[in-house]
Amino acid sequence: MNAVAGAGRGALAAYGALGLPLAFAALPIYVHVPRLYAEGLGLSLALVGAVLLAARIVDAVTDPLIGWANDRLPRRRLWIALSLPALGAGMFGLLVPPAGAGAVWLFALLVAVSLAYSVASIAYNAWGAEVASTPAARTRFVASREAFALAGVVLAAVLPGLLGDGGGVAETVVGGVGEAPTGGDAGVAGTAGNSDGGAAGLARLAWIFLPLLAAFGLWTLLRAPAPPRLAALRAAMWLGLRAALADRGFSRLLAVFAANGIAAAIPSATVLFYVADVLDAEAFAGAFLALYFVAAAAGLPLWTRLSQRIGKLRAWLVGMALAVVVFAWAGLLGSGDLVAYAFICVLSGVALGADLTLPPSLLADRLARGREPACPLHDGVAAPAGGGCDAGRRSAGPDLPVLEAGACFGWWSFVTKANLALAAGLALPLLALLGYTPGAHEAAAVGALAAVYGFVPVALKLVAIALLWRWRQVLDTGTEDLRSTVPSRVAPTRADMHRSGGG
């Protein structure tokens, strides 16, 4: 029995496991930290907002540099192993601040956590892009990672309320996931109701996060199939980063990803207002959250199978089209339309699975094209020749720098985070311009909120669909029939070999 279809399920789970604590760590930063430092430590909301913005700017600027450094020393496991202890310590300090902690403490811990998170997630995403030997296998690795990430998001959303002094479930709402986590960046989130678990719940959450991080991190580091050994990048910093953007396929895929990501992030920035003021259903926020993420997790196998039948690009188009139809409906709802919105949560959650799985898989295929191993393969693993060798990198010609996984995922992470800022910067001022204020019940204001929540994302999704279709020849050049020669411990399935023309 081949590695993916049989024992390979264990390999897929082992790789995906790290997605859970990474997504778990991302959500409290957006949901709970602002309220903890504003209400618990007495910082003004304006100051907390300024600190969050400054930390986000530092974080976004450093992500491409982290990607370049990953290629300079392409040892994905080593980067992750070094970053996870820093992530654990930083999260504990952020969620359990000492008495008297102020803006400087908040900024320093946010930057430390963000840097550790970026180092781990960029190396982790590059690992997933490099480890599988076929396009279909790469999709399964991404799907495994995103399934664990969705579980991490739900845990992080529910546990603070359960662990808080009140013992109730926090009515936490997370809308429109952009990349999990990407791997898991779970998007902008907020809390509904009067409790987010409180300081006590967050302190207990921090204590739970540490063993989760250790257990799932070790599962991935010790049990996941090893990525191929790659030669170190020797190009100058900006040369490698520019080379990624100069690649026509990558830059166009990144543009589609950005347009689609902003469309997904706008509901994130406005969903709390929508549920409270359009639906008059603030108390049902937790139920909508559960429907959304359970549907997304359930939809991951659907998109994996569909991509194998019609190709990843066309499957992604189907997912975006489904999201367009669903969110156009959301813009037409009003007070009390709870059943209709529940259907929207389910259907948009299913569509979310395509956004989580297929774009990173298309990028992984792009990175794999043209890469040649310097060693012969034995049972799917590069064997040493003459005392040792590395997997060869893509040959790009003497004057054109190579396209590197770390640099590409560094830009990918940068765009993911920029999407969140751009979405808030577009949607919230637009709402104010249209006369909406939180808690408003005037028909015009509520109608404006419903339109921004439902129709603006649809317009941006249509832009993304148009770009993806226009550039389909560049972005989908037979990758489903291309057998990558990247060394892998995961053998292709019989179906993969059949689709690829193999035995």
Side-chain angles (χ1 to χ4, degrees):
M1 185 175 292
N2 64 63
V4 171
R9 292 193 184 96
L12 291 170
Y15 170 75
L18 182 59
L20 189 149
L22 289 180
F24 189 104
L27 187 135
I29 296 175
Y30 302 112
V31 180
H32 304 295
V33 165
R35 189 169 183 179
L36 173 65
Y37 281 78
E39 294 186 0
L41 297 175
L43 302 182
S44 70
L45 282 175
L47 180 58
V48 171
V51 170
L52 288 170
L53 178 60
R56 170 66 73 182
I57 292 172
V58 173
D59 186 29
V61 170
T62 57
D63 278 0
L65 304 183
I66 291 170
W68 171 84
N70 250 271
D71 292 326
R72 192 78 174 179
L73 179 65
R75 302 294 180 262
R76 313 307 185 194
R77 279 180 168 170
L78 176 61
W79 283 105
I80 294 172
L82 293 175
S83 63
L84 293 188
L87 177 61
M91 283 295 294
F92 190 86
L94 192 62
L95 298 180
V96 192
V104 174
W105 176 272
L106 175 60
F107 177 76
L109 268 294
L110 280 173
V111 170
V113 167
S114 296
L115 286 174
Y117 179 89
S118 292
V119 169
S121 61
I122 289 171
Y124 183 45
N125 289 338
W127 182 349
E130 295 164 346
V131 71
S133 59
T134 68
R138 284 188 283 274
T139 302
R140 287 192 288 273
F141 272 94
V142 174
S144 176
R145 181 178 73 218
E146 297 304 331
F148 275 95
L150 289 169
V153 168
V154 173
L155 278 176
V158 171
L159 281 178
L162 293 174
L163 299 171
D165 292 334
V169 177
E171 293 175 339
T172 307
V173 177
V174 182
V177 172
E179 179 8 54
T182 219
D185 197 334
V188 177
T191 56
N194 296 323
S195 173
D196 65 350
L202 292 180
R204 293 167 188 147
L205 184 75
W207 282 108
I208 289 176
F209 174 69
L210 294 178
L212 273 179
L213 181 65
F216 284 83
L218 287 173
W219 187 4
T220 294
L221 290 171
L222 299 179
R223 303 296 298 172
R229 293 175 300 166
L230 299 176
L233 173 68
R234 304 192 184 280
M237 179 189 306
W238 295 112
L239 189 62
L241 294 176
R242 286 203 315 268
L245 295 180
D247 183 89
R248 186 172 62 161
F250 172 70
S251 61
R252 291 185 173 182
L253 179 61
L254 193 65
V256 176
F257 177 70
N260 188 62
I262 296 171
I266 285 177
S268 301
T270 56
V271 64
L272 290 178
F273 308 119
Y274 179 87
V275 172
D277 295 336
V278 174
L279 301 179
D280 289 324
E282 191 171 358
F284 289 90
F288 293 142
L289 166 70
L291 284 174
Y292 182 70
F293 283 112
V294 169
L300 292 177
L302 167 68
W303 299 112
T304 300
R305 294 190 188 100
L306 186 63
S307 70
Q308 293 169 8
R309 287 183 173 274
I310 66 174
K312 297 177 187 180
L313 186 145
R314 289 171 178 79
W316 190 18
L317 283 170
V318 171
M320 287 195 284
L322 175 60
V324 165
V325 173
V326 169
F327 256 82
W329 186 18
L332 302 175
L333 298 187
S335 177
D337 290 332
L338 305 189
V339 174
Y341 188 66
F343 276 110
I344 289 171
C345 289
V346 171
L347 294 176
S348 62
V350 171
L352 170 66
D355 287 340
L356 292 176
T357 305
L358 300 176
S361 186
L362 282 167
L363 173 56
D365 290 340
R366 188 82 196 172
L367 291 166
R369 287 175 55 83
R371 191 181 278 138
E372 299 176 355
C375 302
L377 300 184
H378 297 279
D379 297 325
V381 182
C389 68
D390 290 326
R393 292 191 179 271
R394 173 181 164 188
S395 174
D399 300 321
L400 182 64
V402 295
L403 184 64
E404 299 293 340
C408 288
F409 279 108
W411 286 119
W412 199 262
S413 181
F414 170 84
V415 168
T416 299
K417 293 169 182 176
N419 285 345
L420 300 173
L422 288 172
L426 171 66
L428 298 182
L430 180 58
L431 285 175
L433 183 64
L434 294 174
Y436 170 78
T437 56
H441 295 288
E442 297 83 3
V446 172
L449 172 58
V452 170
Y453 178 80
F455 297 148
V456 174
V458 166
L460 289 169
K461 281 276 187 182
L462 290 173
V463 171
I465 289 173
L467 292 176
L468 187 59
W469 183 252
R470 180 177 180 181
W471 294 334
R472 65 190 183 280
Q473 298 300 329
V474 174
L475 300 179
D476 191 25
T477 53
T479 55
E480 290 300 322
D481 295 322
L482 175 70
R483 292 195 63 187
S484 168
T485 54
V486 179
S488 172
R489 292 187 186 272
V490 180
T493 66
R494 183 172 299 175
D496 294 338
M497 296 174 67
H498 176 73
R499 278 190 297 274
S500 303

